[in-house]
Amino acid sequence: MEVTIRRPDDFHVHFRRGRILRTVVPYTASWFKRALVMPNTDPPILSAKSAEKYQQEIASAARNRDFQPLMTIKIVQSTRPEWIPAARRAGVIAGKGYPTGVTTNAADGIRNFFSLRDVFAAMEEENMPLSLHGEQPGVFCLDREKAFLTTLEWLSRNFPRLRIVLEHITTRAAVSRVRALPDKVAATITAHHLVLTLDDVIGEKLRPHNFCLPVAKSPEDREAIRQAAVSGDPKFFFGSDSAPHPVADKERADGNPGLFTAPLTLPLLAQVFEEEGKLDRLKNFTSVFGALFYDLPANEGSLTLANEPAAVPYTIPYGTSYSSGFREAIVPFMAGKVLSWSVKDSNYLSARIPLSP
Amino acid sequence: MEVTIRRPDDFHVHFRRGRILRTVVPYTASWFKRALVMPNTDPPILSAKSAEKYQQEIASAARNRDFQPLMTIKIVQSTRPEWIPAARRAGVIAGKGYPTGVTTNAADGIRNFFSLRDVFAAMEEENMPLSLHGEQPGVFCLDREKAFLTTLEWLSRNFPRLRIVLEHITTRAAVSRVRALPDKVAATITAHHLVLTLDDVIGEKLRPHNFCLPVAKSPEDREAIRQAAVSGDPKFFFGSDSAPHPVADKERADGNPGLFTAPLTLPLLAQVFEEEGKLDRLKNFTSVFGALFYDLPANEGSLTLANEPAAVPYTIPYGTSYSSGFREAIVPFMAGKVLSWSVKDSNYLSARIPLSP
């Protein structure tokens, strides 16, 4: 069986900088025409100028010249309203807001959404979407996404023309609220949240390579996310949240959140959409609804997935020397597992497992 | 301030075997007169004979000669009723049941409680308590303890003279059910579950040295456990569940559950009981209610805690060579933290921090 989709976009990805960036960008660029690049690097991308420089670094790491990184700036407590039109003129696509401390490099995040209302008004005026890590700090971990929905609702009510994306949703509550709010409010869904629950993180062993924020929730929550993804509702589209970390930053006393999913996003999505009997809706989820929401042109070209099994590599080294060994490597999500789908004519995830006779 | 308690008992501890055992036993033996030793070693303690041998290994590792390891056998799917009187005659104190797969070395655990009713009847007949890891396999991780309560109720109803201990309870639901069931049903509470919530495991970073099973739950659950511990209700008594692992088995892709708390149990309990304004009830929790439940004589002697700060060591090496380095070490719970209480005249946790002038 094969399924051909319009060339897809990934509306949420972390590339980091430097050596890791040069290793991970080709995975995303080989399959996706465009990717919305998150600004929580160290140092962060706060302005048009740093976004332009970062965009060049990404573009030169992509082997295929037509890959288009879509840039964001980080909305922090000190962001000034006048930075918004400047960023928009420089081609920045969206502003990303992190409540303070909710994930990697978010210590400088937003402490008080109300105090930034002039920034949100400027974004509304400039027609620049607001992308949100939707978790409320200081709340019990499993309740943070739900607790943030009041902030989402406040933003939607007070800035009715502002386009808002609640990123990487993980709960039934978020699915319901996004559905209930006006059309300007949408949500991205990752591939990994379609398959993980909290059991995969803490159920038996502690599994850092299944640990991300927002953390995967209950089977009921996962079911709600899956049904939203395959629903055909244009409010829900794909953003991988692929977030590479060196294995040394994952397998440690204080392990970082984030999963490197770029090598397997599309095969995993195909597997899930097939399980749900909705393969015909994969194209809209990966290649249509996101571009519509962001008001971007439809991509040219296509990409074909086939239900031919492929193995996810155990590690992806990025060190400069073999002697640096295993600690200078990224362990991708589902490392060593076999997926039932793969991308045709791709250089990635091409170590096909022969079908048993 | 000082508080003097009758010499305490720890009614739930893991000592492992070999080199780790020789490292960890002195921590428990220095403060506690007796400890109920869990049988989920590799290989497991299934019979009177292996319990006797294990008891000798523990006793010879304790530096103080009067330390008394109380032995258990593991109740597994293949346990025979006739093993129970033999174990009882050999001085085995209790049988410990693990539902299959719920924690370290529980793959051989109980698949079907109903099919073991002759074993439970033999335990009832021999007046041997049944100690239980109370989690239902195959259920969402946060619901496992609650789901197991129906099994607890079934056991209590069908074996009314059997003494049953639900170990290391973590939920409000377990506290309520244990209270509601007859006096033959009691529960142990650890020190770490009085201070941890799930936020400390997955809230921001992934913290393997806060990961145990049952996993710490919500702030509301923790509050219920704390109130049970300080309530003065003899159904709730102390069992540390101290469970050492090499750091290499904690900080890895599939990290083991279990916290090594033996170096700090009593100071941490004193801190919690002081916070709750119930220091006068510490003695019953650590030194009276457990012995009453297990029908053991009251300990001679006493132990004094003082509110003098002490630092928990970062690591406790157990390797045979310095060159084996950090990976052959145990990271204790709260490593590097300062506790406000310490045990007087103890060789352990004696690296006192000077009080600021």
Short mmCIF file of all heavy atoms in Angstrom, two decimals, chain A residues 134-163:
data_model
loop_
_atom_site.label_atom_id
_atom_site.label_comp_id
_atom_site.label_asym_id
_atom_site.label_seq_id
_atom_site.Cartn_x
_atom_site.Cartn_y
_atom_site.Cartn_z
N GLY A 134 1.52 25.86 25.95
CA GLY A 134 0.35 26.06 26.80
C GLY A 134 0.38 25.31 28.11
O GLY A 134 -0.42 24.40 28.32
N GLU A 135 1.27 25.71 29.01
CA GLU A 135 1.28 25.13 30.35
C GLU A 135 1.41 26.24 31.38
O GLU A 135 2.20 27.17 31.21
CB GLU A 135 2.42 24.13 30.51
CG GLU A 135 2.24 22.85 29.71
CD GLU A 135 3.19 21.76 30.18
OE1 GLU A 135 4.41 21.91 29.95
OE2 GLU A 135 2.71 20.78 30.76
N GLN A 136 0.65 26.10 32.46
CA GLN A 136 0.64 27.09 33.53
C GLN A 136 1.70 26.72 34.57
O GLN A 136 1.62 25.65 35.17
CB GLN A 136 -0.75 27.08 34.17
CG GLN A 136 -0.96 28.12 35.25
CD GLN A 136 -1.00 29.53 34.68
OE1 GLN A 136 -1.38 29.72 33.53
NE2 GLN A 136 -0.58 30.49 35.48
N PRO A 137 2.69 27.58 34.78
CA PRO A 137 3.72 27.25 35.78
C PRO A 137 3.14 27.18 37.19
O PRO A 137 2.11 27.81 37.46
CB PRO A 137 4.71 28.41 35.68
CG PRO A 137 4.33 29.20 34.48
CD PRO A 137 2.91 28.90 34.19
N GLY A 138 3.80 26.43 38.06
CA GLY A 138 3.42 26.40 39.47
C GLY A 138 2.21 25.55 39.77
O GLY A 138 1.71 25.53 40.90
N VAL A 139 1.73 24.82 38.76
CA VAL A 139 0.57 23.96 38.92
C VAL A 139 1.08 22.51 38.86
O VAL A 139 2.11 22.25 38.25
CB VAL A 139 -0.45 24.25 37.79
CG1 VAL A 139 -1.59 23.24 37.76
CG2 VAL A 139 -0.98 25.68 37.92
N PHE A 140 0.37 21.57 39.48
CA PHE A 140 0.75 20.15 39.41
C PHE A 140 0.93 19.75 37.95
O PHE A 140 0.10 20.09 37.09
CB PHE A 140 -0.34 19.31 40.08
CG PHE A 140 -0.07 17.83 40.05
CD1 PHE A 140 1.12 17.31 40.56
CD2 PHE A 140 -1.01 16.95 39.52
CE1 PHE A 140 1.37 15.95 40.53
CE2 PHE A 140 -0.77 15.58 39.49
CZ PHE A 140 0.42 15.08 40.00
N CYS A 141 1.99 19.02 37.66
CA CYS A 141 2.43 18.79 36.28
C CYS A 141 1.31 18.32 35.34
O CYS A 141 1.22 18.78 34.21
CB CYS A 141 3.61 17.83 36.24
SG CYS A 141 3.38 16.26 37.09
N LEU A 142 0.46 17.43 35.81
CA LEU A 142 -0.56 16.87 34.92
C LEU A 142 -1.72 17.84 34.68
O LEU A 142 -2.53 17.61 33.79
CB LEU A 142 -1.08 15.55 35.47
CG LEU A 142 0.00 14.47 35.66
CD1 LEU A 142 -0.63 13.20 36.18
CD2 LEU A 142 0.76 14.21 34.36
N ASP A 143 -1.79 18.90 35.48
CA ASP A 143 -2.89 19.86 35.35
C ASP A 143 -2.47 21.15 34.64
O ASP A 143 -3.29 22.06 34.47
CB ASP A 143 -3.44 20.22 36.73
CG ASP A 143 -3.99 19.01 37.46
OD1 ASP A 143 -4.45 18.07 36.78
OD2 ASP A 143 -3.97 19.00 38.70
N ARG A 144 -1.20 21.25 34.24
CA ARG A 144 -0.70 22.54 33.72
C ARG A 144 -1.35 22.95 32.41
O ARG A 144 -1.62 24.12 32.20
CB ARG A 144 0.82 22.45 33.53
CG ARG A 144 1.55 22.56 34.83
CD ARG A 144 3.06 22.42 34.67
NE ARG A 144 3.61 22.04 35.97
CZ ARG A 144 4.80 21.49 36.14
NH1 ARG A 144 5.58 21.24 35.10
NH2 ARG A 144 5.22 21.18 37.35
N GLU A 145 -1.56 22.00 31.51
CA GLU A 145 -2.15 22.36 30.22
C GLU A 145 -3.59 22.84 30.42
O GLU A 145 -3.99 23.87 29.87
CB GLU A 145 -2.11 21.17 29.25
CG GLU A 145 -2.54 21.52 27.85
CD GLU A 145 -2.24 20.40 26.85
OE1 GLU A 145 -1.09 20.29 26.42
OE2 GLU A 145 -3.17 19.63 26.52
N LYS A 146 -4.33 22.09 31.20
CA LYS A 146 -5.72 22.48 31.47
C LYS A 146 -5.78 23.86 32.14
O LYS A 146 -6.62 24.70 31.80
CB LYS A 146 -6.39 21.43 32.37
CG LYS A 146 -7.86 21.61 32.48
CD LYS A 146 -8.53 20.48 33.23
CE LYS A 146 -10.03 20.74 33.32
NZ LYS A 146 -10.69 19.80 34.23
N ALA A 147 -4.87 24.08 33.10
CA ALA A 147 -4.87 25.37 33.82
C ALA A 147 -4.55 26.53 32.88
O ALA A 147 -5.00 27.66 33.10
CB ALA A 147 -3.87 25.33 34.98
N PHE A 148 -3.77 26.26 31.83
CA PHE A 148 -3.40 27.34 30.89
C PHE A 148 -4.56 27.75 30.00
O PHE A 148 -4.54 28.83 29.41
CB PHE A 148 -2.22 26.89 30.04
CG PHE A 148 -1.69 27.98 29.14
CD1 PHE A 148 -0.86 28.98 29.65
CD2 PHE A 148 -2.04 28.04 27.79
CE1 PHE A 148 -0.38 30.00 28.85
CE2 PHE A 148 -1.56 29.06 26.97
CZ PHE A 148 -0.73 30.04 27.50
N LEU A 149 -5.58 26.92 29.89
CA LEU A 149 -6.67 27.21 28.94
C LEU A 149 -7.40 28.50 29.28
O LEU A 149 -7.97 29.14 28.39
CB LEU A 149 -7.64 26.02 28.88
CG LEU A 149 -7.01 24.72 28.34
CD1 LEU A 149 -8.00 23.56 28.45
CD2 LEU A 149 -6.52 24.89 26.91
N THR A 150 -7.38 28.91 30.54
CA THR A 150 -8.01 30.21 30.87
C THR A 150 -7.23 31.36 30.26
O THR A 150 -7.81 32.34 29.82
CB THR A 150 -8.12 30.40 32.40
OG1 THR A 150 -6.83 30.23 32.97
CG2 THR A 150 -9.08 29.39 33.01
N THR A 151 -5.89 31.23 30.22
CA THR A 151 -5.07 32.25 29.56
C THR A 151 -5.35 32.26 28.05
O THR A 151 -5.48 33.31 27.44
CB THR A 151 -3.57 31.98 29.82
OG1 THR A 151 -3.34 32.01 31.23
CG2 THR A 151 -2.69 33.03 29.15
N LEU A 152 -5.46 31.07 27.49
CA LEU A 152 -5.79 30.97 26.05
C LEU A 152 -7.11 31.67 25.77
O LEU A 152 -7.23 32.44 24.80
CB LEU A 152 -5.88 29.49 25.66
CG LEU A 152 -6.24 29.21 24.20
CD1 LEU A 152 -5.08 29.56 23.28
CD2 LEU A 152 -6.64 27.73 24.00
N GLU A 153 -8.08 31.43 26.61
CA GLU A 153 -9.40 32.01 26.41
C GLU A 153 -9.34 33.54 26.57
O GLU A 153 -9.96 34.28 25.80
CB GLU A 153 -10.36 31.42 27.45
CG GLU A 153 -11.76 31.34 26.92
CD GLU A 153 -12.59 30.31 27.67
OE1 GLU A 153 -12.03 29.38 28.27
OE2 GLU A 153 -13.82 30.46 27.63
N TRP A 154 -8.58 34.00 27.53
CA TRP A 154 -8.41 35.45 27.74
C TRP A 154 -7.79 36.09 26.49
O TRP A 154 -8.24 37.14 26.03
CB TRP A 154 -7.53 35.69 28.98
CG TRP A 154 -7.23 37.13 29.21
CD1 TRP A 154 -8.02 38.05 29.83
CD2 TRP A 154 -6.05 37.84 28.80
NE1 TRP A 154 -7.41 39.28 29.84
CE2 TRP A 154 -6.19 39.18 29.22
CE3 TRP A 154 -4.87 37.47 28.13
CZ2 TRP A 154 -5.21 40.15 28.99
CZ3 TRP A 154 -3.89 38.42 27.90
CH2 TRP A 154 -4.06 39.75 28.32
N LEU A 155 -6.77 35.46 25.95
CA LEU A 155 -6.11 35.99 24.75
C LEU A 155 -7.09 36.04 23.58
O LEU A 155 -7.18 37.03 22.85
CB LEU A 155 -4.90 35.12 24.38
CG LEU A 155 -3.66 35.27 25.27
CD1 LEU A 155 -2.71 34.08 25.09
CD2 LEU A 155 -2.93 36.58 24.95
N SER A 156 -7.83 34.96 23.41
CA SER A 156 -8.77 34.88 22.29
C SER A 156 -9.87 35.94 22.41
O SER A 156 -10.27 36.55 21.41
CB SER A 156 -9.37 33.47 22.26
OG SER A 156 -10.47 33.43 21.38
N ARG A 157 -10.32 36.18 23.61
CA ARG A 157 -11.42 37.13 23.81
C ARG A 157 -10.93 38.57 23.63
O ARG A 157 -11.62 39.40 23.06
CB ARG A 157 -12.01 36.94 25.22
CG ARG A 157 -13.43 37.44 25.35
CD ARG A 157 -14.08 37.00 26.67
NE ARG A 157 -13.19 37.17 27.79
CZ ARG A 157 -12.78 36.18 28.59
NH1 ARG A 157 -13.19 34.94 28.38
NH2 ARG A 157 -11.96 36.42 29.59
N ASN A 158 -9.72 38.84 24.13
CA ASN A 158 -9.23 40.22 24.11
C ASN A 158 -8.52 40.61 22.82
O ASN A 158 -8.35 41.80 22.55
CB ASN A 158 -8.30 40.44 25.30
CG ASN A 158 -9.08 40.58 26.59
OD1 ASN A 158 -9.58 41.65 26.91
ND2 ASN A 158 -9.26 39.46 27.28
N PHE A 159 -8.09 39.63 22.04
CA PHE A 159 -7.43 39.92 20.76
C PHE A 159 -8.10 39.06 19.69
O PHE A 159 -7.52 38.11 19.18
CB PHE A 159 -5.92 39.62 20.87
CG PHE A 159 -5.28 40.32 22.04
CD1 PHE A 159 -5.12 39.67 23.26
CD2 PHE A 159 -4.89 41.66 21.94
CE1 PHE A 159 -4.57 40.32 24.35
CE2 PHE A 159 -4.34 42.32 23.03
CZ PHE A 159 -4.17 41.65 24.24
N PRO A 160 -9.34 39.41 19.34
CA PRO A 160 -10.17 38.51 18.52
C PRO A 160 -9.62 38.28 17.12
O PRO A 160 -9.95 37.27 16.49
CB PRO A 160 -11.54 39.20 18.49
CG PRO A 160 -11.28 40.61 18.91
CD PRO A 160 -10.08 40.61 19.78
N ARG A 161 -8.77 39.20 16.62
CA ARG A 161 -8.22 38.99 15.28
C ARG A 161 -6.83 38.32 15.33
O ARG A 161 -6.24 38.05 14.29
CB ARG A 161 -8.13 40.32 14.53
CG ARG A 161 -9.51 40.89 14.13
CD ARG A 161 -9.39 42.30 13.54
NE ARG A 161 -8.86 43.24 14.52
CZ ARG A 161 -7.74 43.99 14.35
NH1 ARG A 161 -7.07 43.92 13.21
NH2 ARG A 161 -7.32 44.80 15.30
N LEU A 162 -6.32 38.10 16.52
CA LEU A 162 -5.00 37.45 16.67
C LEU A 162 -5.12 35.95 16.43
O LEU A 162 -5.96 35.28 17.04
CB LEU A 162 -4.47 37.70 18.09
CG LEU A 162 -3.12 37.08 18.47
CD1 LEU A 162 -1.98 37.64 17.62
CD2 LEU A 162 -2.83 37.29 19.97
N ARG A 163 -4.29 35.44 15.51
CA ARG A 163 -4.27 33.99 15.32
C ARG A 163 -3.39 33.35 16.41
O ARG A 163 -2.27 33.81 16.65
CB ARG A 163 -3.73 33.62 13.94
CG ARG A 163 -4.75 33.85 12.83
CD ARG A 163 -4.14 33.63 11.46
NE ARG A 163 -3.20 34.70 11.13
CZ ARG A 163 -2.27 34.62 10.18
NH1 ARG A 163 -2.14 33.51 9.48
NH2 ARG A 163 -1.49 35.64 9.92
#
